[in-house]
Amino acid sequence: MVVYLAGKMVIGSSKKVVADPIEEVRRICALVVDDDPLVRRIHGMLLARYGLETEAAENGKEAIDLFLSGKTFDLVLMDMEMPVMDGLQATQRLRGMGVSSMIVGVTARGLEAEKEAFMATGLDACCVKPLNAEAVISVLDELAKKLL
Amino acid sequence: MRRILRAVVLLQVQNTCQIPIGQNHPPPPFKFLPTLSSLSSILNTRTQQIPLPFLPFSAIKHPRKLLKFESFPYFPIRVGFLFPLTGFYKKFGKTGLPVWMLGLSVDRLRADMNRLLALLFHQGVLDEQFLQLQQLQDESSPNFVSEVVNIYFHESEKLLRNLRALLVDKEFSDYKKMGVHLNQFMGSSSSIGAKRVRNVCVAFRAASEQNNRAGCLRALELLEYEYCYLKNKLHELFQIEQQRILAAAVRYPVQHHHHQPNNP
């Protein structure tokens, strides 16, 4: 199986070219979990710019329901503060369900104590909102290492 | 005869065609030019100063003579309905600004946009996050920035109403709820690069964490002021951009190539 990224067979900034496709090709799927429609739109566009297929969820419970419905995502951008179910609870539940997707926490606050508490729930990384192109590339680099 | 013609021209000016802005319409042909309001803004003239729309038809045939009539606007005028197949229509039916004059407005509008953006950056109203949004806009999402900004306006006005409703209540004590609204407002403002609005939200949140109602009220007034200023300036920016797109479309009309089967 070959990972198809950003329209070309390249990975992150290393420009490593993968061999020709063998059997099947699939796009990387990402889930943006945020109660703010503005952030969902911007982060979705940022990820789509790098060739990812994106879906969105308004809170942690919707994200869990998506996974329970059988959908799989390679990358989850999880907001910390959300109504119904926040990012910390959602991340804990997902890890408890055995979800091994890369989960990156995003928070509007940059407080270290809060970030550490968020990381302790099972995140792979934690970034400050809003994400920019450099942050997304760094996340995709980590994701590529995890997938390959 | 000239009086009759003048009356007809005045009637037609009132019924000039409207070119919709912000929609994907094909660029208008040479005869149908922008309406009075958009044309006057492009030419940077005030509507009240524009004299009666009577065109000296002889000037149309000789572009250099147009320089004498710089202060006169040119309206989309259709006289062809009176004389559809006569030589009069064929000779005098084409009216409006010549294309070479319209081209000048595109560069001017682009300069106005850049000047306004530079001012907003200099004032600290916007930061580099706004530039990131502009970089995400491309041919596949040509209205991305305006869509995102409209979502921001919609959400922000909801949050401002909620904040005001909380503070107006004399028995208000739910500072935690206020903090939730403020966090959302901060996050949205950071996402579009609204730096000054975000900074006021930070101060507002500090006052709410201290349960300082008077401080919160002052911060809310300042927040509403900064938000209104930002909204007005962004509206102005998008208006100039729409005029620039319109002027560029009229300058470069779409060429319809008719494919002939015999030619490869």
Side-chain angles (χ1 to χ4, degrees):
Chain A
M1 187 169 72
V2 173
V3 174
Y4 180 84
L5 184 64
K8 296 178 187 176
M9 295 296 186
V10 295
I11 300 172
S13 56
S14 60
K15 301 274 193 266
K16 179 181 171 184
V17 178
V18 182
D20 291 337
I22 303 167
E23 290 177 353
E24 59 178 77
V25 174
R26 73 167 179 89
R27 291 180 76 174
I28 295 181
C29 299
L31 176 64
V32 179
V33 188
D34 203 302
D35 58 329
D36 190 346
L38 184 68
V39 172
R40 288 199 300 270
R41 183 82 174 92
I42 293 174
H43 287 177
M45 186 62 141
L46 255 177
L47 294 175
R49 175 56 59 88
Y50 290 95
L52 277 72
E53 229 171 68
T54 60
E55 270 196 58
E58 289 187 16
N59 53 59
K61 188 175 181 306
E62 277 191 25
I64 288 170
D65 290 343
L66 281 170
F67 275 94
L68 286 174
S69 70
K71 289 196 175 180
T72 54
F73 300 96
D74 302 293
L75 171 67
V76 178
L77 292 184
M78 182 76 75
D79 182 28
M80 194 167 89
E81 293 176 353
M82 289 179 287
V84 184
M85 186 185 288
D86 63 16
L88 292 96
Q89 291 175 21
T91 308
Q92 262 177 341
R93 283 278 300 271
L94 286 173
R95 292 303 190 207
M97 282 161 51
V99 168
S100 58
S101 311
M102 182 171 181
I103 305 179
V104 176
V106 286
T107 171
R109 297 196 190 207
L111 299 174
E112 282 305 317
E114 286 185 355
K115 282 168 81 171
E116 278 173 15
F118 203 1
M119 288 289 294
T121 58
L123 291 180
D124 293 290
C126 190
C127 303
V128 178
K129 269 198 285 191
L131 293 181
N132 53 25
E134 290 78 25
V136 170
I137 288 174
S138 143
V139 164
L140 293 182
D141 271 341
E142 290 299 318
L143 179 64
K145 286 176 194 167
K146 193 175 174 180
L147 289 175
L148 291 177
Chain B
M1 181 61 185
R2 284 177 82 91
R3 278 188 206 164
I4 294 169
L5 191 58
R6 187 170 173 145
V8 163
V9 162
L10 285 173
L11 270 175
Q12 279 296 293
V13 164
Q14 287 168 11
N15 298 324
T16 51
C17 61
Q18 298 282 335
I19 294 179
I21 293 174
Q23 298 178 25
N24 293 329
H25 284 264
F30 173 74
K31 277 184 285 198
F32 303 104
L33 289 172
T35 59
L36 173 61
S37 56
S38 58
L39 186 59
S40 64
S41 64
I42 288 169
L43 295 175
N44 203 22
T45 54
R46 292 177 59 193
T47 310
Q48 292 81 355
Q49 293 171 354
I50 296 173
L52 288 174
F54 180 70
L55 276 183
F57 291 112
S58 59
I60 301 300
K61 289 196 289 183
H62 302 283
R64 61 178 177 272
K65 289 188 182 177
L66 285 165
L67 292 172
K68 293 183 191 174
F69 306 97
E70 274 173 343
S71 60
F72 285 73
Y74 290 91
F75 304 94
I77 296 174
R78 303 177 63 182
V79 297
F81 80 100
L82 274 185
F83 311 101
L85 297 172
T86 62
F88 183 88
Y89 172 70
K90 286 178 187 170
K91 205 174 178 187
F92 298 112
K94 291 179 183 172
T95 60
L97 274 176
V99 173
W100 64 268
M101 275 189 78
L102 286 173
L104 297 175
S105 65
V106 176
D107 297 326
R108 184 177 182 171
L109 288 167
R110 190 179 294 118
D112 287 345
M113 261 184 74
N114 292 337
R115 210 174 297 125
L116 179 56
L117 262 178
L119 174 70
L120 293 176
F121 276 95
H122 179 71
Q123 289 177 335
V125 175
L126 293 176
D127 62 21
E128 60 272 5
Q129 181 63 22
F130 190 78
L131 294 177
Q132 299 260 353
L133 292 187
Q134 288 186 320
Q135 284 169 7
L136 287 175
Q137 184 165 289
D138 59 11
E139 296 83 26
S140 61
S141 309
N143 301 318
F144 174 69
V145 178
S146 58
E147 281 172 17
V148 160
V149 168
N150 281 327
I151 296 174
Y152 172 72
F153 289 156
H154 183 253
E155 294 298 311
S156 300
E157 277 157 28
K158 232 176 15 180
L159 289 168
L160 282 171
R161 277 197 298 272
N162 292 343
L163 287 167
R164 186 153 275 282
L166 284 173
L167 279 170
V168 158
D169 183 6
K170 287 179 186 174
E171 293 170 3
F172 163 72
S173 61
D174 196 353
Y175 287 96
K176 193 178 175 188
K177 194 171 182 182
M178 185 181 291
V180 168
H181 291 320
L182 284 171
N183 282 342
Q184 197 172 348
F185 208 156
M186 268 177 59
S188 306
S189 303
S190 301
S191 298
I192 69 151
K195 188 174 162 191
R196 277 212 320 226
V197 171
R198 186 192 177 276
N199 291 344
V200 175
C201 286
V202 170
F204 197 155
R205 192 171 64 181
S208 79
E209 283 169 357
Q210 292 166 7
N211 293 0
N212 179 355
R213 187 158 180 260
C216 288
L217 274 167
R218 280 196 297 274
L220 177 63
E221 282 175 13
L222 185 57
L223 186 60
E224 284 169 342
Y225 171 79
E226 289 293 342
Y227 169 76
C228 283
Y229 183 78
L230 172 72
K231 187 174 179 180
N232 285 337
K233 288 298 169 190
L234 287 177
H235 270 315
E236 196 180 324
L237 190 72
F238 291 135
Q239 231 176 357
I240 298 173
E241 190 181 5
Q242 281 178 347
Q243 287 173 357
R244 183 184 65 83
I245 291 167
L246 194 63
V250 173
R251 184 184 183 187
Y252 297 110
V254 170
Q255 300 290 332
H256 294 287
H257 298 285
H258 298 284
H259 296 285
Q260 295 183 8
N262 292 333
N263 293 335

